[in-house]
Amino acid sequence: MSIENISVNKSFGGWHKQYSHHSSALNCKMQFAIYLPPQVSSGNKVPVLYWLSGLTCTDENFMQKAGAQRSAAELGIAIVAPDTSPRGDGVANDNAYDLGQGAGFYVNATEMPWSKHYQMYDYVVNELPELIESAFPVSDKRAIAGHSMGGLGALNIGMLNPLRYSSMSAFSPISNPVNCAWGQKAFTTYLGKDKSTWLNYDASELMKQATQFVPAKVDQGESDNFLLEQLKPEALLAAASASGYPLDYQLHEGYDHSYYFIASFIEDHLRFHATHLKK
């Protein structure tokens, strides 16, 4: 699988790089960013944290705004940030910010015309890690994290693939999408009207039924303007209680939905993942 380098920037002794490649899963050209910590210069293979961003984001938002490189360099963790959806002139789209390009919801779409390209679950779980592990000095030790729509994706993917990920974490995840407007709109469009097909992409439903546990950490801002109507963390907490899931949930006074919140606590998440990646 060939990849094309777009940019290179040195950061905290390591390197932030952007690449493009043709995705077979998504049937289009995709872009991703990777931060390689300084440890790779000594010939060491390092573990990888896959970061999934939220609505309207690209591979650039987290890498430029979260301030994760300092801790990643110290801990010897690579970070991979894919785009949030397939893109291009021939890719189905919608004028709304919460559907179409920039809003893939990390699902495998089954409805036309979306199913031709919107196979983000397969891309994140299978194609992208295969590419990363073949092209860069990284190991097959993986963790996954994300924000908002990406927080939902990270929790879903972690729980559906407990042997592939050492740990999972989320900032402000859309915890119960089958019961919020964002999720209902996206799932109806991508997956159809049969709501039973939605349940595999609902973190609260998956956590309620879980029998294998991936260590999980979730941080939520108390002043998040999406908290009540869209994020619904109470459903996730109830699900964790029902199954005995080991969920570390923290509610933070005064914090909102922005990258200021993520930047404030990203070090905690990286240290959480480092503990499990090194086991």
CSV table of all heavy atoms in Angstrom, one decimal, residues 87-119:
chain,number,residue,atom,x,y,z
A,87,ARG,N,-13.8,11.6,1.8
A,87,ARG,CA,-14.0,12.9,1.2
A,87,ARG,C,-13.7,12.8,-0.3
A,87,ARG,O,-13.0,11.9,-0.8
A,87,ARG,CB,-13.1,13.9,1.9
A,87,ARG,CG,-13.4,14.2,3.3
A,87,ARG,CD,-12.5,15.3,3.9
A,87,ARG,NE,-12.6,15.4,5.3
A,87,ARG,CZ,-13.4,16.2,6.0
A,87,ARG,NH1,-14.2,17.0,5.3
A,87,ARG,NH2,-13.4,16.2,7.3
A,88,GLY,N,-14.2,13.8,-1.0
A,88,GLY,CA,-13.9,13.9,-2.4
A,88,GLY,C,-15.2,14.3,-3.2
A,88,GLY,O,-16.3,14.2,-2.7
A,89,ASP,N,-15.0,14.7,-4.5
A,89,ASP,CA,-16.1,15.1,-5.3
A,89,ASP,C,-17.1,14.0,-5.6
A,89,ASP,O,-18.3,14.3,-5.7
A,89,ASP,CB,-15.6,15.7,-6.6
A,89,ASP,CG,-14.8,17.0,-6.5
A,89,ASP,OD1,-15.0,17.6,-5.5
A,89,ASP,OD2,-14.0,17.3,-7.4
A,90,GLY,N,-16.6,12.8,-5.6
A,90,GLY,CA,-17.5,11.7,-5.9
A,90,GLY,C,-18.1,11.0,-4.7
A,90,GLY,O,-18.8,10.0,-4.8
A,91,VAL,N,-17.9,11.6,-3.5
A,91,VAL,CA,-18.3,11.0,-2.2
A,91,VAL,C,-19.6,11.7,-1.8
A,91,VAL,O,-19.7,12.9,-1.8
A,91,VAL,CB,-17.2,11.2,-1.1
A,91,VAL,CG1,-17.7,10.7,0.2
A,91,VAL,CG2,-16.0,10.4,-1.5
A,92,ALA,N,-20.6,10.9,-1.4
A,92,ALA,CA,-21.9,11.4,-1.0
A,92,ALA,C,-21.7,12.5,0.2
A,92,ALA,O,-20.8,12.3,1.0
A,92,ALA,CB,-22.8,10.3,-0.5
A,93,ASN,N,-22.5,13.5,0.2
A,93,ASN,CA,-22.3,14.6,1.1
A,93,ASN,C,-23.7,15.2,1.5
A,93,ASN,O,-24.7,14.9,0.8
A,93,ASN,CB,-21.4,15.6,0.6
A,93,ASN,CG,-20.8,16.5,1.7
A,93,ASN,OD1,-20.9,16.2,2.9
A,93,ASN,ND2,-20.3,17.6,1.3
A,94,ASP,N,-23.7,16.0,2.5
A,94,ASP,CA,-24.9,16.7,2.9
A,94,ASP,C,-24.5,18.1,3.3
A,94,ASP,O,-23.4,18.3,3.8
A,94,ASP,CB,-25.6,16.0,4.0
A,94,ASP,CG,-27.0,16.5,4.3
A,94,ASP,OD1,-27.1,17.5,5.1
A,94,ASP,OD2,-28.0,16.0,3.8
A,95,ASN,N,-25.4,19.1,3.1
A,95,ASN,CA,-25.1,20.5,3.5
A,95,ASN,C,-25.0,20.7,5.0
A,95,ASN,O,-24.4,21.7,5.5
A,95,ASN,CB,-26.1,21.4,2.9
A,95,ASN,CG,-26.0,21.5,1.4
A,95,ASN,OD1,-24.9,21.4,0.8
A,95,ASN,ND2,-27.1,21.8,0.7
A,96,ALA,N,-25.6,19.8,5.8
A,96,ALA,CA,-25.6,20.0,7.3
A,96,ALA,C,-24.2,19.6,7.8
A,96,ALA,O,-23.5,18.7,7.3
A,96,ALA,CB,-26.6,19.1,7.9
A,97,TYR,N,-23.8,20.2,8.9
A,97,TYR,CA,-22.5,19.9,9.5
A,97,TYR,C,-22.4,18.5,10.1
A,97,TYR,O,-21.4,17.9,10.4
A,97,TYR,CB,-22.1,20.9,10.6
A,97,TYR,CG,-22.9,20.8,11.9
A,97,TYR,CD1,-22.3,20.1,12.9
A,97,TYR,CD2,-24.2,21.3,12.1
A,97,TYR,CE1,-23.0,19.9,14.1
A,97,TYR,CE2,-24.9,21.1,13.2
A,97,TYR,CZ,-24.3,20.4,14.3
A,97,TYR,OH,-25.0,20.3,15.5
A,98,ASP,N,-23.6,17.9,10.5
A,98,ASP,CA,-23.7,16.7,11.3
A,98,ASP,C,-24.0,15.5,10.4
A,98,ASP,O,-24.5,14.5,10.9
A,98,ASP,CB,-24.6,16.8,12.4
A,98,ASP,CG,-26.0,17.2,12.0
A,98,ASP,OD1,-26.2,17.5,10.8
A,98,ASP,OD2,-26.9,17.3,12.9
A,99,LEU,N,-23.8,15.6,9.1
A,99,LEU,CA,-24.0,14.5,8.2
A,99,LEU,C,-23.1,14.6,7.0
A,99,LEU,O,-22.8,15.7,6.5
A,99,LEU,CB,-25.5,14.5,7.8
A,99,LEU,CG,-26.0,13.2,7.1
A,99,LEU,CD1,-26.1,12.0,8.2
A,99,LEU,CD2,-27.4,13.4,6.6
A,100,GLY,N,-22.7,13.4,6.5
A,100,GLY,CA,-21.9,13.5,5.3
A,100,GLY,C,-20.4,13.7,5.6
A,100,GLY,O,-19.9,13.2,6.6
A,101,GLN,N,-19.7,14.4,4.7
A,101,GLN,CA,-18.3,14.6,4.8
A,101,GLN,C,-18.0,15.3,6.1
A,101,GLN,O,-18.5,16.4,6.3
A,101,GLN,CB,-17.7,15.2,3.6
A,101,GLN,CG,-17.9,14.4,2.3
A,101,GLN,CD,-17.2,14.9,1.1
A,101,GLN,OE1,-16.2,15.6,1.2
A,101,GLN,NE2,-17.8,14.7,-0.1
A,102,GLY,N,-17.1,14.8,6.9
A,102,GLY,CA,-16.7,15.4,8.2
A,102,GLY,C,-17.6,14.8,9.3
A,102,GLY,O,-17.4,15.1,10.5
A,103,ALA,N,-18.5,13.8,9.0
A,103,ALA,CA,-19.4,13.3,10.0
A,103,ALA,C,-19.7,11.8,9.7
A,103,ALA,O,-20.8,11.4,9.5
A,103,ALA,CB,-20.7,14.1,9.9
A,104,GLY,N,-18.6,11.0,9.6
A,104,GLY,CA,-18.8,9.6,9.3
A,104,GLY,C,-19.3,8.7,10.4
A,104,GLY,O,-19.7,7.6,10.1
A,105,PHE,N,-19.2,9.2,11.6
A,105,PHE,CA,-19.7,8.5,12.8
A,105,PHE,C,-19.0,7.1,13.0
A,105,PHE,O,-19.5,6.3,13.8
A,105,PHE,CB,-21.2,8.3,12.8
A,105,PHE,CG,-21.9,9.5,13.4
A,105,PHE,CD1,-22.1,10.7,12.7
A,105,PHE,CD2,-22.4,9.4,14.7
A,105,PHE,CE1,-22.8,11.7,13.3
A,105,PHE,CE2,-23.0,10.5,15.3
A,105,PHE,CZ,-23.2,11.7,14.6
A,106,TYR,N,-18.0,6.8,12.3
A,106,TYR,CA,-17.2,5.6,12.5
A,106,TYR,C,-18.1,4.3,12.4
A,106,TYR,O,-17.9,3.4,13.1
A,106,TYR,CB,-16.4,5.7,13.8
A,106,TYR,CG,-15.6,6.9,13.8
A,106,TYR,CD1,-16.0,8.0,14.5
A,106,TYR,CD2,-14.4,7.0,13.1
A,106,TYR,CE1,-15.2,9.2,14.5
A,106,TYR,CE2,-13.6,8.2,13.1
A,106,TYR,CZ,-14.1,9.3,13.8
A,106,TYR,OH,-13.3,10.4,13.8
A,107,VAL,N,-19.0,4.3,11.4
A,107,VAL,CA,-19.9,3.2,11.2
A,107,VAL,C,-19.6,2.6,9.8
A,107,VAL,O,-18.9,3.3,9.0
A,107,VAL,CB,-21.4,3.5,11.3
A,107,VAL,CG1,-21.7,4.2,12.6
A,107,VAL,CG2,-21.8,4.5,10.2
A,108,ASN,N,-20.1,1.4,9.5
A,108,ASN,CA,-20.1,0.9,8.1
A,108,ASN,C,-21.5,1.1,7.6
A,108,ASN,O,-22.5,0.4,8.0
A,108,ASN,CB,-19.8,-0.6,8.1
A,108,ASN,CG,-18.3,-0.9,8.3
A,108,ASN,OD1,-17.5,0.0,8.1
A,108,ASN,ND2,-18.0,-2.1,8.7
A,109,ALA,N,-21.7,2.1,6.7
A,109,ALA,CA,-23.0,2.4,6.2
A,109,ALA,C,-23.5,1.3,5.3
A,109,ALA,O,-22.8,0.6,4.6
A,109,ALA,CB,-22.9,3.7,5.4
A,110,THR,N,-24.8,1.1,5.4
A,110,THR,CA,-25.5,0.0,4.6
A,110,THR,C,-26.5,0.6,3.6
A,110,THR,O,-26.9,-0.1,2.7
A,110,THR,CB,-26.2,-0.9,5.5
A,110,THR,OG1,-27.2,-0.2,6.3
A,110,THR,CG2,-25.3,-1.7,6.5
A,111,GLU,N,-26.7,1.9,3.7
A,111,GLU,CA,-27.7,2.5,2.8
A,111,GLU,C,-27.0,3.3,1.7
A,111,GLU,O,-26.0,4.0,1.9
A,111,GLU,CB,-28.6,3.5,3.6
A,111,GLU,CG,-29.4,2.9,4.8
A,111,GLU,CD,-30.4,1.9,4.2
A,111,GLU,OE1,-31.3,2.4,3.5
A,111,GLU,OE2,-30.3,0.7,4.5
A,112,MET,N,-27.6,3.2,0.5
A,112,MET,CA,-27.1,3.9,-0.6
A,112,MET,C,-27.6,5.4,-0.5
A,112,MET,O,-28.6,5.7,0.0
A,112,MET,CB,-27.6,3.3,-1.9
A,112,MET,CG,-26.9,2.0,-2.3
A,112,MET,SD,-25.1,2.2,-2.6
A,112,MET,CE,-25.2,3.1,-4.2
A,113,PRO,N,-26.7,6.4,-1.0
A,113,PRO,CA,-25.4,6.2,-1.7
A,113,PRO,C,-24.3,6.1,-0.7
A,113,PRO,O,-23.1,6.0,-1.1
A,113,PRO,CB,-25.3,7.4,-2.6
A,113,PRO,CG,-26.0,8.5,-1.7
A,113,PRO,CD,-27.1,7.8,-1.0
A,114,TRP,N,-24.5,6.1,0.6
A,114,TRP,CA,-23.5,6.2,1.6
A,114,TRP,C,-22.6,5.0,1.7
A,114,TRP,O,-21.4,5.1,1.9
A,114,TRP,CB,-24.1,6.5,2.9
A,114,TRP,CG,-25.1,7.6,2.9
A,114,TRP,CD1,-26.4,7.6,2.7
A,114,TRP,CD2,-24.8,9.0,2.9
A,114,TRP,NE1,-27.0,8.8,2.6
A,114,TRP,CE2,-26.0,9.7,2.7
A,114,TRP,CE3,-23.6,9.8,3.0
A,114,TRP,CZ2,-26.1,11.1,2.7
A,114,TRP,CZ3,-23.7,11.2,3.0
A,114,TRP,CH2,-24.9,11.8,2.9
A,115,SER,N,-23.2,3.8,1.4
A,115,SER,CA,-22.4,2.6,1.6
A,115,SER,C,-21.3,2.4,0.6
A,115,SER,O,-20.3,1.6,0.9
A,115,SER,CB,-23.4,1.4,1.4
A,115,SER,OG,-24.0,1.4,0.2
A,116,LYS,N,-21.3,3.1,-0.4
A,116,LYS,CA,-20.2,3.1,-1.4
A,116,LYS,C,-18.8,3.5,-0.8
A,116,LYS,O,-17.8,3.0,-1.1
A,116,LYS,CB,-20.5,3.9,-2.7
A,116,LYS,CG,-19.4,3.8,-3.7
A,116,LYS,CD,-19.8,4.6,-5.0
A,116,LYS,CE,-18.7,4.5,-6.0
A,116,LYS,NZ,-19.1,5.3,-7.2
A,117,HIS,N,-18.9,4.5,0.1
A,117,HIS,CA,-17.7,5.1,0.7
A,117,HIS,C,-17.6,5.1,2.2
A,117,HIS,O,-16.6,5.0,2.8
A,117,HIS,CB,-17.6,6.6,0.2
A,117,HIS,CG,-17.4,6.7,-1.2
A,117,HIS,ND1,-16.2,6.5,-1.9
A,117,HIS,CD2,-18.3,7.1,-2.2
A,117,HIS,CE1,-16.4,6.7,-3.2
A,117,HIS,NE2,-17.6,7.1,-3.4
A,118,TYR,N,-18.8,5.2,2.9
A,118,TYR,CA,-18.8,5.4,4.3
A,118,TYR,C,-18.6,4.1,5.1
A,118,TYR,O,-19.6,3.6,5.7
A,118,TYR,CB,-20.0,6.2,4.7
A,118,TYR,CG,-20.0,7.6,4.4
A,118,TYR,CD1,-20.1,8.0,3.1
A,118,TYR,CD2,-19.8,8.6,5.4
A,118,TYR,CE1,-20.0,9.4,2.7
A,118,TYR,CE2,-19.7,9.9,5.0
A,118,TYR,CZ,-19.8,10.3,3.7
A,118,TYR,OH,-19.8,11.7,3.4
A,119,GLN,N,-17.4,3.5,5.1
A,119,GLN,CA,-17.1,2.3,5.8
A,119,GLN,C,-16.0,2.6,6.8
A,119,GLN,O,-14.9,2.0,6.8
A,119,GLN,CB,-16.6,1.2,4.8
A,119,GLN,CG,-17.6,0.9,3.7
A,119,GLN,CD,-18.9,0.3,4.2
A,119,GLN,OE1,-18.8,-0.6,5.0
A,119,GLN,NE2,-20.0,0.8,3.8
